Every structure is written in structure tokens, then in C-alpha cells.
């Protein structure tokens, strides 16, 4: 096995020629080109504004206070730097593979496979959590429906129908143990009471308790059917959902601004920089999704022009909305009260406006559905590209002759998301999604740097503005050292109290080692500043994710490598060409 076969690359010209060949061979069975720049912006907003603005923004605000707006700005800048890299690649290689295809061009086949495998975490696994969250929001909304004329005082689904199997089973065991040891029922946590009730009331087949998250299954089936039917139908649904949730967010801002108490903004950063940065993983999770726009490249009327615009405008619009909402939340109630699951509903309950809480619940249901739509749309298109290259079976690149969508891949993604959502509650999936996405961002930014000075690379119409990183990175690095030294954190950071303490700091040590390397290399290589900052800022956010999730991510990549060496490497079209 030679290094050349593992890192064999595809040229941009060969990728574009392959797409044209596929279109010629398939005739009418190709992806439809229906998307304009406004549709791409809507897809970006649909993906970005979801759980972030309806849940995780509360925890981040509780940790950082009103100064959490700076974390949103930092995360927006990091995402913006990465978006420049995505935009440049999308302009060069306007095909459906996104970061997978870009890595194939810049780093070679093995890295391309790794990133394609990692993106399954972002799209497929992440959607399991989105579906479960949607189920929670739906049941909460139904319980708020009160129609006196019809005698409806809230619509209550059976508890076994709105909870996953593992949560109910584990909750029942914990509750039973508590009661067996002399505890009483009203001392149990509400979540354990609900889990116990779900387990006891669930219908049985033999000895099996049928505890299934039916609403989660319903939304996955509905969204998968919509994505299967065509890009035009997905576009229309996305645009409608974006209009609804933007209208509600603007309503929240317009109403909330009259209830702001300026005293709640003092102190502005109660827990300092460390408090603000505690929410980095949760806030970044709020930005995940803009990269999914690039998977629709082959369905854009003018991808080289519209994809860069769509990504940039989506990030800008969402950042402005996030900052305004954060200021509204921390202005209405003290920041330390915002560590709740539904912060928007919570603040309006505090000012006695229950009618707003129902409107927000409806919007949350719509918002989560739109996130699910974009992610369910993105994953099959990455598998489509991997299948075209021979790394996945040929069926994954099958295009439906009528609907012009990757039909088989779409159905498989539906099953991959639906089945676990019925039975599982993946509590760590937020961090796992974040680390997989950040890994993709790091490689895409790195890819731009790798191709930066190669004269034979076919360029697109968009190029990242060039600033010599060698003039900036050394000063930023020295400034960071001075800051840590002044705050007595430089030497104490390397004071490892135990082996476990060292292990927890390994991600940060990786970040600092790579920062030193990139700073030194940027001077002779004259690297571009924007992708360099994108790479470092995304790597920094990865370093803030606990070591445990790095280990799980590493295990996930090892499983992917096993599949690559047993199947994909042998079936690669580049392997056949070399043979």
C-alpha cells in the first residue's frame, strides 16, 4: 500500500467533466436546477435558526451574561472565515459533495473519506437530536391549546408515545430504586415521574414495553417524504417556514424591547471572559447548518455566483438576530435566571404574557422542522458524491427519474435517523455534532491554504480576499502570550495536577501546538489570513469540547477507516483508473 494510493487526488477539471458525463449518461435523471440566491439564504436561515435561538441561547446567556453577544460575534467570525473557504471551493467545484469533494481536491482520497464519514455526525446523527427536540416542542405546544368552546383544555399525548425507550427504561429503574429505599413519589424529579409513568402505562408485546417517540418518527417521515419529492418542494417548504419563524422572532424583538430593564445589563460581563467562553460549544451548535447550503450546488441556477452570497448573507442575518435576542433576554430578566430549556417562553411568562409563549412554541416547532429539512437534504447529496467516486455502492448515486432527487440515499438517511430517534436519547450528540462540523471547517480552510499558491488549479469566480497572514499571526500570537502572562495563566496552564488533568488539556495542547506551527509557516509561505484565522478559530472551538467527545469522535473515525480499507479503497474509481 503506497502513500500515493491513499492520498490520490481528483482534479477540478476531472470532477466537472464527471458531472457532465453523468448528466449525459442519465439523460433526464439528473438533479433539477431551481435554486436562486434568495432560496439559498432561506436554506441557510432555516438551518441556523433552530435549537440555538429557542434553547441553547439561554444557557449561554446564563454563563456569560449580556456579554454573550461577543461570543455570538466571535462564532460568527469563525463561521464567516470558514464560509469564505466554502465559498471559494463552491465557486471552483460547484458539485453536491461539499467538504467531502473539496478535501478530495486538496488532500486526497483518504482525507476525503474521513471528512465524508465525519459529516454523517453533523447531518444524520444530529438530526436524531433535532427530531427528538421537535417532539418535545410539539407536545409542549399541544398542551398549551385551550379552546373553551370545544371543551379542550390542552391536548395530552400518552407519556409512552412521547418518550424514547432508553429514557423511560432508565428512569423507571432509577425511580424504582429510589422508592424501594424508602423514598416517596412526590420527592422524585419530574422527569423521573414522567419516565416511570411512561414505562408503567406503555402497551406490551410479550414482555416488551412499547415506549416510542411517535412525534419524532412522524416529523422524520414527513421531512424525508418532502426531500424525496423534489428540491422545488423542499425549497417552497423551507421558504414558508423561514417566513413564519422570522416573523415570530421580529415580534419577540418588537414586544420585548419595551420591557428591557437597563439595570439587568450591569455588570455586562459578570463572569469575565471565561464565563463567556463556557458557552462556545452551545453557541457554535447554533451556527451549524450554513455549510449544508453547499450540498445543493448542482441544483443552483448559478452556483458560482449564488452560493457565496447565500452563505454570507445567511450568517450575517442570523448573527444580527442572535445578538438582538440575547440583548432582549438579558434585558428583560437577570442573566442568572436564563439557564432554562425554553428561554424565550420563560421571559414572557416572567412579564405575564402567556399569549406570547404559545406563539413562540408554534414558531419553535416550525423552526426545528426547517433545521431537519436542510440536514435531511444535505446528507443524501454527500452520499451521492461519494457513490459517484466509487467509495459507496452505486445505488447511493441513483437519481429518481421523476422527482430528480437522490432517491435511494434519501430513503436510507430517513431510516438512519428514524429508527434511533424512536428508541434513543443521545445526550452527547450536541458536542459530537459540533466536533464533526468543526473538523470539516478546519479541513476546508486548510484546503484553501494548500491550493493557495498552486498555479495549475482551476479557479472559480469567487476568491477569498488576500491578506498576508505572516504580517498578522505573529503579532496575534505574541499578544495572546502577553495576555495569559499578565493574567497569571501562562505557566499555571501547564501545571498538570494529575494524569486526568493532563488528558483534559490534550485538545488545548493540540490547538496551541498547531497555532505555533501555522504562525511560523505563515511567514515564508505567505499564507492567506482569512482561511488561517478560520482554521485556528475552529480548531480553538474544537479544543473547548471535552476530551470524552474527542475519544468518541476518534472511535467513530476508526469505524469509518475500517469501512474504507475493506470496501471503499478497492471500489474507488481512481483505483480502477490506476489499475
Amino acid at each position: 500500500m503506497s502513500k500515493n494510493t491513499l492520498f490520490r487526488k481528483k482534479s477540478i477539471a476531472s470532477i466537472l467533466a464527471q458531472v457532465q458525463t453523468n448528466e449525459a449518461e442519465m439523460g433526464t435523471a439528473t438533479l433539477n436546477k431551481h435554486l436562486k440566491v434568495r432560496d439559498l439564504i432561506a436554506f441557510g436561515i432555516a438551518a441556523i435558526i433552530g435549537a440555538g435561538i429557542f434553547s441553547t441561547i439561554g444557557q449561554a446567556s446564563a454563563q456569560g451574561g449580556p456579554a454573550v453577544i461577543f461570543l455570538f460575534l466571535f462564532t460568527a467570525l469563525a463561521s464567516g472565515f470558514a464560509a469564505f473557504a466554502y465559498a471559494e471551493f463552491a465557486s471552483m467545484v460547484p458539485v453536491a459533495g461539499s467538504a467531502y469533494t473539496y478535501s478530495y481536491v486538496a488532500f486526497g482520497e483518504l482525507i476525503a473519506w474521513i471528512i465524508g464519514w465525519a459529516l454523517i455526525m453533523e447531518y444524520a446523527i444530529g438530526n436524531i437530536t433535532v427530531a427528538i427536540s421537535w417532539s418535545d416542542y410539539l407536545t409542549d405546544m399541544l398542551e398549551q391549546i385551550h379552546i373553551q368552546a370545544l371543551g379542550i383544555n390542552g391536548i395530552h399525548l400518552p407519556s409512552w408515545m412521547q418518550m424514547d425507550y432508553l429514557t423511560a427504561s432508565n428512569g423507571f429503574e432509577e425511580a424504582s430504586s429510589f422508592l424501594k429505599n424508602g423514598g416517596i413519589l412526590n420527592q422524585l424529579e419530574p422527569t423521573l415521574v414522567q419516565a416511570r409513568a411512561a414505562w408503567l402505562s406503555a402497551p406490551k408485546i410479550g414482555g416488551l414495553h412499547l415506549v416510542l417517540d411517535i412525534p419524532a418518527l412522524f416529523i422524520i417521515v414527513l421531512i424525508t417524504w418532502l426531500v424525496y419529492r423534489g428540491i422545488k418542494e423542499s425549497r417552497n417548504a423551507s421558504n414558508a417556514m423561514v417566513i413564519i419563524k422570522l416573523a415570530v422572532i421580529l415580534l419577540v424583538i418588537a414586544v420585548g424591547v419595551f420591557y428591557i430593564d437597563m439595570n439587568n445589563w450591569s455588570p455586562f460581563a459578570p463572569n469575565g471572559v471565561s464565563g463567556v467562553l463556557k458557552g462556545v460549544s452551545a453557541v457554535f451548535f447554533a451556527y451549524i447548518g450554513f455549510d449544508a447550503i453547499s450540498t445543493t450546488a448542482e441544483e443552483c441556477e448559478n452556483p458560482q455566483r449564488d452560493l457565496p452570497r447565500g452563505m454570507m448573507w445567511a450568517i450575517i442575518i442570523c448573527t444580527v438576530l442572535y445578538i438582538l435576542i440575547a440583548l432582549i433576554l438579558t434585558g428583560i430578566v437577570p442573566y442568572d435566571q436564563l439557564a432554562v430549556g425554553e428561554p424565550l417562553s420563560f421571559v414572557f411568562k416572567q412579564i405575564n404574557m402567556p399569549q406570547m409563549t404559545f406563539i413562540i412554541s408554534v414558531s419553535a416547532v416550525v423552526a426545528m422542522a426547517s433545521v431537519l429539512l436542510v440536514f435531511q437534504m444535505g446528507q443524501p447529496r454527500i452520499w451521492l458524491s461519494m457513490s459517484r467516486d466509487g467509495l459507496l455502492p452505486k445505488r447511493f448515486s441513483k437519481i429518481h427519474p421523476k422527482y430528480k432527487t437522490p432517491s435511494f440515499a434519501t430513503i436510507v438517511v430517513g431510516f438512519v435517523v428514524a429508527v434511533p430517534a424512536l428508541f434513543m436519547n443521545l445526550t452527547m450528540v450536541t458536542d459530537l455534532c459540533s466536533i464533526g462540523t468543526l473538523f470539516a471547517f478546519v479541513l476546508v480552510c486548510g484546503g484553501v491554504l494548500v491550493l493557495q499558491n498552486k498555479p495549475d488549479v482551476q479557479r472559480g469566480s469567487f476568491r477569498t480576499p488576500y491578506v498576508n497572514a505572516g504580517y498578522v499571526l505573529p503579532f496575534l500570537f505574541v499578544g495572546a502570550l502577553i495576555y495569559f502572562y499578565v493574567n497569571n495563566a501562562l505557566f499555571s496552564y501547564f501545571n498538570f495536577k494529575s494524569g486526568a488533568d493532563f488528558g483534559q488539556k490534550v485538545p488545548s495542547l493540540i490547538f496551541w501546538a498547531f497555532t505555533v506551527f501555522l504562525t511560523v509557516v505563515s511567514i515564508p509561505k505567505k499564507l492567506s489570513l482569512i482561511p488561517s484565522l478560520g482554521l485556528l478559530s475552529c480548531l480553538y472551538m474544537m479544543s473547548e469540547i471535552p476530551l470524552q467527545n474527542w475519544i468518541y469522535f476518534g472511535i467513530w473515525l476508526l469505524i469509518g477507516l475500517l469501512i474504507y480499507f475493506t470496501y471503499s479503497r478497492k471500489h474507488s474509481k481512481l483505483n480502477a483508473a490506476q489499475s
Side-chain angles (χ1 to χ4, degrees):
M1 184 191 305
S2 69
K3 177 182 176 182
N4 289 339
T5 59
L6 289 178
F7 297 97
R8 52 199 174 198
K9 299 177 182 179
K10 297 190 75 173
S11 68
I12 294 173
S14 68
I15 293 173
L16 298 178
Q18 181 186 346
V19 172
Q20 292 177 347
T21 301
N22 290 337
E23 290 178 351
E25 290 176 352
M26 292 182 172
T28 57
T30 56
L31 298 173
N32 272 334
K33 297 183 181 294
H34 285 301
L35 302 180
K36 297 180 172 65
V37 66
R38 64 174 178 269
D39 303 313
L40 296 172
I41 295 171
F43 275 135
I45 296 172
I48 295 171
I49 295 183
I53 210 161
F54 289 99
S55 58
T56 56
I57 194 173
Q59 186 64 42
S61 298
Q63 293 169 335
V68 74
I69 64 170
F70 296 117
L71 183 55
F72 279 108
L73 283 172
F74 170 74
T75 310
L77 278 174
S79 299
F81 293 147
F84 270 107
Y86 268 90
E88 182 163 339
F89 266 119
S91 181
M92 285 192 290
V93 199
V95 297
S98 187
Y100 157 76
T101 302
Y102 309 156
S103 296
Y104 219 143
V105 171
F107 299 108
E109 185 173 281
L110 180 62
I111 304 300
W113 168 265
I114 289 173
I115 200 60
W117 183 252
L119 285 174
I120 296 175
M121 273 193 173
E122 178 184 359
Y123 295 119
I125 296 180
N127 260 356
I128 296 170
T129 298
V130 174
I132 293 170
S133 298
W134 185 90
S135 173
D136 293 339
Y137 281 115
L138 178 71
T139 53
D140 180 65
M141 182 194 76
L142 292 176
E143 288 173 0
Q144 294 184 52
I145 296 177
H146 299 278
I147 307 175
Q148 293 182 352
L150 299 177
I152 297 175
N153 189 27
I155 299 174
H156 304 279
L157 297 179
S159 54
W160 60 268
M161 192 185 289
Q162 53 177 292
M163 184 176 293
D164 62 276
Y165 182 89
L166 289 179
T167 296
S169 175
N170 294 337
F172 174 75
E173 292 294 333
E174 190 174 341
S176 299
S177 176
F178 177 79
L179 296 174
K180 189 176 181 180
N181 291 325
I184 56 177
L185 192 61
N186 60 10
Q187 292 178 335
L188 278 173
E189 295 179 10
T191 53
L192 292 180
V193 173
Q194 188 179 11
R196 179 176 180 272
W199 188 259
L200 293 175
S201 62
K204 298 179 184 177
I205 297 180
L208 178 67
H209 292 251
L210 291 182
V211 183
L212 304 170
D213 197 336
I214 299 299
L217 176 65
F218 166 76
I219 192 60
I220 293 167
V221 171
L222 177 63
I223 294 295
T224 302
W225 171 79
L226 189 61
V227 172
Y228 183 89
R229 282 295 305 269
I231 192 66
K232 187 185 290 186
E233 288 77 6
S234 300
R235 177 199 67 187
N236 294 341
S238 172
N239 290 348
M241 287 188 283
V242 165
I243 290 171
I244 292 171
K245 66 181 175 182
L246 284 183
V248 172
I249 289 170
L250 292 175
L251 177 64
V252 167
I253 294 169
V255 174
V257 73
F258 293 103
Y259 292 89
I260 289 175
D261 181 356
M262 303 284 282
N263 293 321
N264 288 331
W265 288 344
S266 179
F268 200 73
N271 298 317
V273 175
S274 61
V276 173
L277 292 177
K278 279 183 181 177
V280 66
S281 178
V283 169
F284 178 75
F285 189 69
Y287 279 92
I288 288 178
F290 80 85
D291 55 308
I293 304 173
S294 60
T295 66
T296 64
E298 291 179 45
E299 289 147 299
C300 297
E301 292 183 359
N302 190 342
Q304 293 178 313
R305 181 197 67 192
D306 292 345
L307 277 171
R309 295 180 182 180
M311 281 187 273
M312 295 301 178
W313 276 112
I315 290 174
I316 291 169
I317 292 169
C318 292
T319 300
V320 171
L321 293 175
Y322 276 137
I323 289 173
L324 291 175
I325 289 292
L327 289 174
I328 293 291
L329 291 178
T330 55
I332 294 177
V333 300
Y335 73 93
D336 55 2
Q337 296 182 17
L338 289 170
V340 294
E342 298 173 353
L344 291 184
S345 296
F346 171 77
V347 295
F348 282 102
K349 286 178 183 176
Q350 295 300 105
I351 56 177
N352 197 27
M353 294 187 69
Q355 64 273 28
M356 282 293 292
T357 63
F358 179 72
I359 295 173
I360 290 167
S361 294
V362 173
S363 178
V365 169
V366 173
M368 299 301 286
S370 69
V371 175
L372 196 64
L373 170 64
V374 177
F375 278 27
Q376 284 294 91
M377 193 172 62
Q379 182 63 68
R381 283 153 179 79
I382 291 177
W383 283 355
L384 165 71
S385 289
M386 296 175 78
S387 175
R388 284 173 176 171
D389 296 330
L391 304 187
L392 288 177
K394 192 174 181 180
R395 291 199 69 182
F396 282 90
S397 56
K398 179 183 177 183
I399 304 294
H400 195 283
K402 179 180 179 181
Y403 301 130
K404 311 295 177 63
T405 56
S407 50
F408 178 77
T410 300
I411 292 172
V412 171
V413 169
F415 275 104
V416 167
V417 176
V419 174
L422 280 174
F423 303 102
M424 299 175 66
N425 185 3
L426 304 181
T427 55
M428 287 187 302
V429 86
T430 300
D431 281 344
L432 286 175
C433 285
S434 293
I435 199 170
T437 308
L438 285 165
F439 183 61
F441 287 7
V442 166
L443 285 183
V444 172
C445 291
V448 171
L449 295 175
V450 167
L451 299 181
Q452 171 188 305
N453 297 320
K454 293 189 176 181
D456 56 334
V457 173
Q458 181 178 334
R459 300 289 174 182
S461 57
F462 178 87
R463 292 208 60 177
T464 303
Y466 176 78
V467 176
N468 191 336
Y471 295 143
V472 180
L473 285 186
F475 292 102
L476 291 177
F477 181 71
V478 172
L481 289 180
I482 293 172
Y483 172 81
F484 283 112
Y485 179 78
V486 170
N487 288 275
N488 298 318
L490 185 60
F491 298 108
S492 62
Y493 184 83
F494 294 98
N495 182 20
F496 307 118
K497 299 175 182 177
S498 63
D501 183 46
F502 172 77
Q504 291 299 326
K505 290 180 179 178
V506 165
S508 292
L509 293 174
I510 293 172
F511 164 74
W512 283 111
F514 199 86
T515 299
V516 172
F517 168 77
L518 194 65
T519 300
V520 172
V521 169
S522 68
I523 299 172
K525 296 290 186 180
K526 298 180 180 179
L527 298 179
S528 178
L529 179 64
I530 289 178
S532 297
L533 291 177
L535 190 155
L536 291 177
S537 56
C538 291
L539 192 59
Y540 169 74
M541 287 190 283
M542 285 183 73
S543 73
E544 289 293 307
I545 295 175
L547 178 66
Q548 182 182 19
N549 293 290
W550 282 68
I551 294 172
Y552 285 124
F553 182 60
I555 294 171
W556 177 258
L557 294 185
L558 286 175
I559 295 171
L561 288 174
L562 180 65
I563 296 172
Y564 174 76
F565 285 110
T566 55
Y567 176 86
S568 303
R569 183 171 171 272
K570 291 184 291 186
H571 291 84
S572 167
K573 289 189 177 179
L574 286 186
N575 186 57
Q578 288 179 345
S579 302

